[in-house]
Amino acid sequence: MLYSVRSPTLIRVYGAYGVSLEPEFRLEDIPLLRRGWTIALAHVRGGGELGRQWYAGGKGFNKHNSIADLLACTRYLLEKNWSEASKLALTGASAGGLVVGAALNAEPSYFRAAALHVPFVDPLSSMLDPDLPLTGVEVSEWGNPLANLQDYDAISRYAPYDNIKACLSADTPMPSILVTAGGQDKRVSVWQPAKWVARMRSKAGYSTPTATKHGSSSKLLFLASANAGHFHSYNSSSDDSDVHDNSDFIAAHALRNAFFITETSE
């Protein structure tokens, strides 16, 4: 490969519901691109990029393949010198946040920073609660741990909240993490990212600033907006576009960019 400059790189991932992650124009990425960043799209199983079989290979009992594919994409970027761990950032929203959280549990040293927006990081508790509004319709995507022991075991093996390790130390670099949530989110309730952040602070070691091999402390920031919905817009469940307020969306992504730039520059 001729490209050998290890530029700051942002990996974006989703990998669920058969949704294809397209190389589309995204306004929020302009500040990074102007600073020489590379944007990489990880097409993992669970998405729809390669058809129905690709989607089926990353849903339900096969969800672990989404995480494995993301880690394989990351290793490729590092091995081919597209970037390096001290300049590599990762982001995912909603179901993509699940993949990001699981990847951080598995290989934290691969990344310098990560941003999880309204992340679905506690799938086991969610799918075990039939009173939640979306649990019934989500069974086809995640499985039914209430009725099927195999589904329970499968989810418990990859669920970010249930697999946090006590691994933050001076010898074990952990990425800095930014998590956002919306108080009006009907898809991923605010308690999910909030409890994940709390457990990361108590169990993974983020409650005590610890210098990493990159020379800076690993941070864990949590931003919850009381009025924001699933897409960081006010009243996002409304069908009336006139009542949408994008200030939370703009603020969240401005913070994300400043966070990434700061963490990869230290």
Side-chain angles (χ1 to χ4, degrees), residues 1 8 32 49 81 105 118 124 143 154 178 184 207 221 229:
M1 174 175 280
L32 300 180
E49 294 86 5
N81 291 326
N105 285 339
V118 293
L124 189 57
L178 169 66
Q184 303 303 315
S207 59
L221 308 180

Side-chain angles (χ1 to χ4, degrees), residues 5-251:
V5 178
R6 297 180 178 182
S7 63
T9 300
L10 173 61
I11 302 175
R12 179 177 290 111
V13 66
Y14 188 68
Y17 304 105
V19 174
S20 296
L21 194 60
E22 302 289 352
E24 60 189 1
F25 174 80
R26 299 178 71 103
L27 187 64
E28 64 267 27
D29 289 340
I30 289 180
L32 300 180
L33 294 171
R34 285 180 172 172
R35 289 168 173 79
W37 280 61
T38 298
I39 308 296
L41 306 183
H43 289 168
V44 304
R45 278 172 285 184
E49 294 86 5
L50 296 177
R52 295 293 297 180
Q53 286 188 332
W54 189 252
Y55 165 46
K59 63 176 290 193
F61 193 76
N62 296 318
K63 191 61 194 175
H64 62 93
N65 289 327
S66 301
I67 298 103
D69 290 349
L70 172 59
L71 294 174
C73 291
T74 303
R75 282 191 292 270
Y76 179 87
L77 291 175
L78 295 174
E79 291 170 359
K80 297 299 182 180
N81 291 326
W82 278 91
S83 191
E84 56 187 292
S86 63
K87 297 180 179 180
L88 194 58
L90 178 62
T91 188
S94 192
L98 181 152
V99 181
V100 170
L104 296 179
N105 285 339
E107 295 291 350
S109 62
Y110 282 6
F111 310 100
R112 179 65 197 101
L116 295 79
H117 298 294
V118 293
F120 185 52
V121 283
D122 190 13
L124 189 57
S125 293
S126 297
M127 298 308 299
L128 285 171
D129 187 350
D131 293 329
L132 292 177
L134 295 180
T135 298
V137 298
E138 294 282 1
V139 167
S140 62
E141 183 71 23
W142 307 102
N144 187 354
L146 276 171
N148 189 310
L149 181 58
Q150 284 188 319
D151 287 345
Y152 183 99
D153 289 340
I155 296 173
S156 65
R157 283 196 295 270
Y158 68 74
Y161 180 76
D162 296 294
N163 290 280
I164 294 172
K165 304 172 184 176
C167 56
L168 183 58
S169 68
D171 298 324
T172 306
M174 288 285 285
S176 289
I177 302 172
L178 169 66
V179 183
T180 66
Q184 303 303 315
D185 193 340
K186 302 297 191 299
R187 305 188 190 190
V188 179
S189 299
V190 67
W191 57 262
Q192 277 208 49
K195 68 184 289 191
W196 184 76
V197 167
R199 179 169 281 192
M200 288 290 283
R201 286 174 175 163
S202 65
K203 189 171 182 180
Y206 279 93
S207 59
T208 303
T210 304
T212 71
K213 70 176 183 180
H214 305 305
S216 59
S217 296
S218 296
K219 306 173 185 68
L220 177 54
L221 308 180
F222 181 48
L223 172 66
S225 178
N227 293 325
H230 195 62
F231 298 103
H232 292 298
S233 60
Y234 177 74
N235 197 14
S236 66
S237 62
S238 172
D239 293 328
D240 183 0
S241 60
D242 291 336
V243 302
H244 288 187
D245 179 357
N246 290 321
S247 58
D248 282 314
F249 176 88
I250 294 170

